[in-house]
Amino acid sequence: MPADLSPIDKAKFAAAKCASLLVEDGMKVGLGTGSTAAWMVRCLGERVREEGLRITGVPTSTRTADLARQLGIEIVSLDEAKWLDLTIDGADEFDPELNLIKGGGGAHLLEKIVATASDRMVVIADAAKEVAQLGAFPLPVEVVPFGWQTTRTIIEETLISMDVLGRTTSLRQNGSQPFVTDEGNYILDLHLNRIGNPRQLAVTLNQIAGVVETGLFIDICDMVVIGGAEGQVELRDIAAGTVRQERIDFPDTVNIFTDL
């Protein structure tokens, strides 16, 4: 492992490596998007090469699809796979009930579709992603470009009656232009500071015309795998009500770290 890898990256790798070991031969696996998910895809690619692991991956973004193909992982669409055994993805925040905020990378629409078409969703994260209440991370809301400013106004008016601490919204930018998702939509980031009732907020926002999907993942995640910089890993399974500790050895080889 490169000596200059940061403690956060080491924690992400530990979580990703541990979660990749949950994948069994013949599985159809949803492949998440983001920095931690990229570690996981690389770990799976290493297992495909070295162990002959046979899996079918359903990516949640063009970035993940490109990476998986480079690593020799067979890729199909969700329509081709129909149903998945497991989805592994990162999160921007998770609370004690394993509710999530996702969408920092702008792929939460596909991520939610893939996760809900799976028997299980496993989230991989470092300890900094754990919060007592969601909301410190801005909540992404994907919106149709047509009339997006009107949609934004309605969202801001709706937030007045919600249990949140902040109501500022911003259009996500890519340089001087609006950020555009893989599906051709815009993202509004809601700076709420604290979300008192995530379930109510998710339902309410999804009823607004022009809103495609929010980054709130409620009752979707089954397990969170939390990595530490020394290789320690905690696996919390909310369905089974179990918590177990494991340890991941960092590799000497740099194969999976190339080009990161």
Side-chain angles (χ1 to χ4, degrees):
M1 173 173 287
D4 59 351
L5 208 61
S6 72
I8 290 293
D9 280 336
K10 289 181 179 178
K12 290 178 178 181
F13 170 77
K17 179 68 173 180
C18 184
S20 74
L21 298 176
L22 300 173
V23 177
E24 300 175 3
D25 199 56
M27 275 189 170
K28 292 183 285 188
V29 184
L31 306 175
T33 296
S35 59
T36 313
W39 289 110
M40 177 271 301
V41 174
R42 287 179 176 270
C43 290
L44 286 177
E46 186 178 49
R47 291 190 63 194
V48 168
R49 291 192 309 274
E50 298 188 0
E51 302 174 20
L53 180 71
R54 295 170 299 128
I55 60 171
T56 303
V58 174
T60 55
S61 68
T62 55
R63 302 191 299 280
T64 297
D66 290 343
L67 177 60
R69 289 192 188 98
Q70 292 170 16
L71 296 170
I73 298 173
E74 180 186 356
I75 294 300
V76 299
S77 69
L78 182 58
D79 286 336
E80 291 172 306
K82 294 184 171 38
W83 193 260
L84 308 180
D85 299 289
L86 177 67
T87 287
I88 305 176
D89 204 349
D92 298 302
E93 285 186 344
F94 67 91
D95 70 11
E97 286 74 45
L98 302 194
N99 295 315
L100 319 171
I101 286 182
K102 290 179 52 56
H108 58 280
L109 173 58
L110 292 191
E111 289 172 336
K112 188 174 287 189
I113 293 171
V114 169
T116 55
S118 307
D119 287 337
R120 285 171 60 78
M121 181 194 189
V122 173
V123 161
I124 46 180
D126 59 89
K129 301 299 192 300
E130 182 175 9
V131 296
Q133 282 188 304
L134 300 178
F137 191 90
L139 174 64
V141 177
E142 188 161 341
V143 299
V144 175
F146 176 82
W148 73 266
Q149 295 186 62
T150 299
T151 303
R152 177 181 182 173
T153 298
I154 296 172
I155 289 173
E156 291 174 342
E157 291 175 349
T158 300
L159 290 176
I160 295 173
S161 62
M162 295 289 101
D163 184 7
V164 295
L165 284 183
R167 301 186 183 92
T168 304
T169 67
S170 59
L171 178 68
R172 188 175 299 184
Q173 297 290 121
N174 182 14
S176 61
Q177 299 297 317
F179 175 89
V180 178
T181 69
D182 284 353
E183 292 69 52
N185 297 315
Y186 292 168
I187 289 181
L188 295 173
D189 287 312
L190 278 51
H191 305 270
L192 307 177
N193 300 321
R194 180 189 63 81
I195 302 173
N197 191 331
R199 188 183 309 276
Q200 179 191 46
L201 181 62
V203 170
T204 302
L205 290 175
N206 275 321
Q207 291 176 335
I208 297 174
V211 169
V212 179
E213 189 54 83
T214 78
L216 285 167
F217 283 52
I218 311 297
D219 297 334
I220 296 175
C221 176
D222 298 286
M223 175 188 286
V224 63
V225 180
I226 308 167
E230 302 301 320
Q232 70 274 27
V233 179
E234 181 174 285
L235 296 90
R236 299 182 194 170
D237 189 323
I238 194 166
T242 60
V243 178
R244 72 177 192 269
Q245 310 293 328
E246 294 190 6
R247 180 166 290 277
I248 294 296
D249 293 326
F250 294 125
D252 295 326
T253 176
V254 298
N255 289 347
I256 66 172
F257 304 100
T258 304
D259 299 328
L260 281 177

